[in-house]
Amino acid sequence: MSVQDETELMLSELFDSYADAYEDYDAGQIADCFAFPCVIWQLEEGHVFNDKAELCENIEALLEVHREHYVTSSIYEVVSSHISGSTASVSLDWQQEDDEGETIFDFTCHYLLINIEGQWKIASIVNEPA
């Protein structure tokens, strides 16, 4: 397997874990996908999270919105990716659905990822509503 293929597999595993953690409503597992500090841009506002505890507070609020809308599934599709050394830029289209398969949230996120000690982590997200 080439280095490029291995890296793409590792990135896929990161986003699979990220989606699974959303489906499990597990803020800690979601936060484990991040490097710190990290920046999340949402609704044209940037927020810096210095550690896992700060990020988990934000994630818990987001998960509460998911509970209110009965989101049970998070499905992503890779729109684009570029890997350069220990960094990667990946854009994903997301659909979050309820038990009946109805799309509740539909959006695109652009991720800046960094490889720290052999682990790919999310350093920054720009969320773009559909």
Side-chain angles (χ1 to χ4, degrees):
M1 178 181 297
S2 73
V3 171
Q4 179 78 15
D5 289 343
E6 186 176 317
T7 300
E8 287 178 8
L9 178 61
M10 290 175 72
L11 294 176
S12 178
E13 289 171 351
L14 170 68
F15 287 114
D16 287 347
S17 295
Y18 187 62
D20 289 347
Y22 268 100
E23 291 176 4
D24 292 340
Y25 285 78
D26 191 325
Q29 279 188 319
I30 295 167
D32 285 343
C33 296
F34 286 81
F36 296 97
C38 63
V39 178
I40 299 177
W41 280 88
Q42 247 175 314
L43 305 171
E44 298 182 14
E45 288 186 32
H47 302 277
V48 177
F49 300 95
N50 291 304
D51 58 34
K52 185 175 178 176
E54 285 182 13
L55 182 59
C56 280
E57 277 186 48
N58 179 268
I59 293 169
E60 286 293 350
L62 180 58
L63 291 176
E64 187 57 37
V65 171
H66 285 205
R67 283 182 192 92
E68 291 170 7
H69 290 90
Y70 305 102
V71 172
T72 58
S73 178
S74 295
I75 303 159
Y76 70 88
E77 180 180 339
V78 177
V79 177
S80 66
S81 67
H82 177 76
I83 302 162
S84 181
S86 64
T87 63
S89 175
V90 178
S91 294
L92 302 179
D93 281 343
W94 287 92
Q95 285 192 330
Q96 293 177 315
E97 301 174 346
D98 63 16
D99 276 340
E100 296 173 8
E102 184 176 330
T103 300
I104 305 300
F105 301 113
D106 186 11
F107 56 95
T108 299
C109 283
H110 308 284
Y111 299 87
L112 176 61
L113 307 166
I114 185 165
N115 188 304
I116 301 172
E117 299 176 1
Q119 294 282 321
W120 285 97
K121 300 285 185 173
I122 300 167
S124 181
I125 302 174
V126 176
N127 186 336
E128 183 180 312

